[in-house]
Amino acid sequence: MRLTAVARNLQKLLDPKSLKTLDHYSQFNPSPLTIQQFIDFGRTASEEESFTFLKKELPVRLSNIMKEINLLPPNLLQMPSVTILQDWYSESFRDLVTFEDTDSSRTTLLSFCQTLKSIQTRHTNVVQTMAQGVLELQESHKVDNQTDMAIQYFLDRFYMSRISMRMLIHQHTLLFEPDADLNTRRIGMIDPACKLKSVIMEAFQNAAFLCEEYYSCAPDIEIKGQTMVRNEKGKKVGLSLVYPPPHLYHILFELFKNSMRATVETHGKAAELPEIEVLLAKGEHDVSIRISDQGGGIPRHITDHTFHYLVSTAPRPSMTPTKAPLAGYGYGLPLSRLYARYFHGDLILNSYDGYGTDAVVYLKTLTHEASELLPVFNKTSTRQYRTAIPTADWTDPSFTASRGLHVSRPSQLKKAA
Ligand SMILES: Nc1ncnc2c1ncn2[C@@H]1O[C@H](COP(=O)(O)OP(=O)(O)OP(=O)(O)O)[C@@H](O)[C@H]1O
Ligand SMILES: [Mg+2]
């Protein structure tokens, strides 16, 4: 029944020829690129070469994730927001495969750039729309643990796929669109000398601005560690990394918002607020950024869930807010971790209940180790949507040793929190 419903859905969105093309592309694995490859490609490749790569790679990444959307629990697939989303993806897929057999004349290249721009615009609200779809499901159905696990598994892969496609599209348009700004040290989105302290300060100040708006106060910051290092010429310079600054900004902004909210909620507005402490370190392999707050910490039964989408201890703001909220969607941590993992970094939380929290961001120092991490649609991923959660084999039935986590519904968590 599930397959019929899915097939019907797809047939409505795609004509038989496009459906066949989708099947074809989804058989290829995405080709992950390293930051080094992005840089080399950006410095030396022509627009034509980029076009030739993208006209295959983008449909491959799109079709892989479109196939996975179809594996979602049938009642989630039927939610209005998910249908809208599938429609956007189908439209973009159709747009891209029109370039399949085209030459690379000037007109084609221009039209390809325009197509990428329109895909970017069409997909602007993908994150909110998918979140809305899950909320629609939660409001209209009882979501069991297995469905919840499948959704969490899917969202990580779906959003990672989106991050990666946006990266590819940005690289091409920033470098080759007719009014591309080439008078910059950046190579597309990547800054070969991304100054960590500047990104930290920008993220901190914007989070503090929001915090002031909500609580009329905000904690200060102290940056420690290897803020200044000696370059090859022995001159002292600010610590830098080869990285796309918007990704790092996204991660840090979310972490600062969380730390500020926790600090103000714990210490009250009147008292002197403890500073948020940032530690910077760069080794041969990893750059580490630790953000420590004294915001009371997170009890361990909640820490297990902080990386779940839509899990929040703040009241849920509107999906179309008039002013930017400080917290409440439960998307900050899981999305930030994806950004960190995208180039093989990571984000972890260490919390000390009753005291505070350390959030540590790890990024790769070496550009050839910073490789894209991409979801692949295959039998293994397909199985994940059907595998039942192992039945309880410990005295505490919510403890699932193989997954190392307690399985309890986010709604239960909200009540406990
Ligand atoms: N530094 C912190 N100190 C205390 N609790 C925290 C901290 N960071 C996260 N949390 C807890 O984890 C939950 C999830 O955080 P997350 O950033 O994912 O979502 P959110 O802040 O609630 O909403 P938003 O999507 O707007 O960021 C928070 O609601 C909060 O309860
Ligand atoms: Mg948050």
Side-chain angles (χ1 to χ4, degrees):
M1 187 197 128
R2 174 185 177 140
L3 280 177
T4 344
V6 168
R8 238 186 285 129
N9 214 354
L10 263 182
Q11 273 158 8
K12 255 190 264 164
L13 296 166
L14 287 170
D15 56 281
K17 185 167 171 274
S18 307
L19 268 176
K20 233 178 125 196
T21 321
L22 183 87
D23 277 340
H24 167 73
Y25 278 104
S26 67
Q27 285 162 17
F28 294 94
N29 282 353
S31 309
L33 297 176
T34 62
I35 289 190
Q36 189 58 51
Q37 285 169 316
F38 272 113
I39 288 184
D40 293 343
F41 202 76
R43 280 191 178 134
T44 58
S46 62
E47 180 171 3
E48 201 178 323
E49 284 169 299
S50 179
F51 163 71
T52 309
F53 171 69
L54 289 185
K55 75 175 181 178
K56 178 173 178 212
E57 185 61 19
L58 281 171
V60 166
R61 293 191 188 190
L62 259 181
S63 57
N64 267 257
I65 205 65
M66 284 169 79
K67 282 283 192 178
E68 219 160 305
I69 299 177
N70 283 320
L71 294 175
L72 281 171
N75 42 19
L76 177 56
L77 268 185
Q78 285 154 19
M79 292 300 121
S81 298
V82 181
T83 315
I84 294 174
L85 209 119
Q86 278 191 298
D87 200 16
W88 291 340
Y89 273 69
S90 305
E91 219 174 310
S92 299
F93 182 75
R94 259 187 269 115
D95 287 355
L96 283 168
V97 293
T98 57
F99 292 94
E100 214 175 15
D101 301 316
T102 51
D103 56 14
S104 43
S105 68
R106 195 65 234 138
T107 332
T108 310
L109 292 178
L110 265 177
S111 139
F112 186 66
C113 243
Q114 276 157 4
T115 302
L116 294 187
K117 288 283 216 187
S118 69
I119 291 176
Q120 223 175 347
T121 314
R122 183 181 298 133
H123 289 235
T124 306
N125 292 324
V126 160
V127 176
Q128 299 90 310
T129 309
M130 189 67 230
Q132 185 68 45
V134 178
L135 284 177
E136 284 162 7
L137 177 75
Q138 287 176 348
E139 278 155 20
S140 58
H141 294 72
K142 191 173 159 11
V143 180
D144 58 32
N145 280 336
Q146 189 173 341
T147 307
D148 183 51
M149 295 281 259
I151 294 173
Q152 298 292 333
Y153 174 82
F154 167 77
L155 290 178
D156 264 344
R157 301 166 65 80
F158 177 69
Y159 291 135
M160 189 65 109
S161 155
R162 178 173 190 265
I163 291 172
S164 84
M165 286 188 282
R166 282 171 71 82
M167 180 81 194
L168 293 184
I169 291 177
H170 267 123
Q171 285 307 100
H172 186 86
T173 53
L174 287 173
L175 290 167
F176 302 117
E177 68 187 344
D179 50 357
D181 173 16
L182 299 176
N183 199 11
T184 160
R185 72 163 178 232
R186 285 197 192 182
I187 298 145
M189 254 173 106
I190 299 169
D191 187 346
C194 170
K195 295 270 183 251
L196 297 182
K197 203 171 162 190
S198 316
V199 185
I200 291 171
M201 284 316 293
E202 192 189 345
F204 176 83
Q205 276 153 3
N206 287 340
F209 180 79
L210 271 188
C211 188
E212 297 256 4
E213 258 194 359
Y214 277 83
Y215 299 110
S216 313
C217 63
D220 257 332
I221 184 172
E222 196 200 336
I223 307 185
K224 301 196 316 188
Q226 298 170 313
T227 49
M228 300 295 282
V229 287
R230 288 200 187 274
N231 67 9
E232 330 59 87
K233 290 178 192 147
K235 202 174 145 216
K236 274 201 151 190
V237 291
L239 194 69
S240 68
L241 174 73
V242 189
Y243 208 71
H247 288 194
L248 182 57
Y249 173 86
H250 181 107
I251 300 167
L252 296 171
F253 179 59
E254 291 302 329
L255 295 178
F256 282 131
K257 279 192 295 173
N258 285 352
S259 286
M260 287 181 190
R261 171 177 167 238
T263 304
V264 181
E265 294 272 337
T266 303
H267 294 270
K269 299 171 196 177
E272 199 169 301
L273 296 171
E275 285 173 339
I276 293 175
E277 200 184 277
V278 180
L279 177 81
L280 267 181
K282 186 177 185 180
E284 203 183 318
H285 292 279
D286 303 303
V287 164
S288 314
I289 307 172
R290 186 186 69 195
I291 298 183
S292 310
D293 65 58
Q294 293 176 37
I298 313 169
R300 284 186 58 240
H301 71 277
I302 296 186
T303 331
D304 288 341
H305 299 275
T306 44
F307 285 97
H308 275 206
Y309 294 90
L310 294 159
V311 169
S312 173
T313 50
R316 176 135 28 241
S318 137
M319 274 291 169
T320 47
T322 43
K323 68 171 188 174
L326 187 64
Y329 295 119
Y331 260 63
L333 286 176
L335 265 191
S336 298
R337 185 170 66 177
L338 283 187
Y339 273 105
R341 287 183 172 174
Y342 174 48
F343 280 123
H344 274 79
D346 209 351
L347 165 59
I348 59 161
L349 280 195
N350 289 321
S351 206
Y352 317 98
D353 191 21
Y355 180 74
T357 302
D358 289 350
V360 193
V361 183
Y362 295 110
L363 306 169
K364 288 281 183 198
T365 302
L366 302 169
T367 47
H368 63 267
E369 283 185 2
S371 171
E372 288 186 289
L373 177 69
L374 305 169
V376 178
F377 170 75
N378 58 19
K379 282 198 182 116
T380 313
S381 53
T382 305
R383 231 177 282 130
Q384 290 290 329
Y385 292 91
R386 302 191 176 137
T387 314
I389 295 172
T391 45
D393 45 4
W394 291 84
T395 49
D396 174 353
S398 67
F399 184 78
T400 313
S402 57
R403 291 180 196 236
L405 54 81
H406 280 73
V407 185
S408 72
R409 295 270 314 283
S411 52
Q412 291 165 338
L413 167 70
K414 276 202 88 167
K415 274 179 222 133

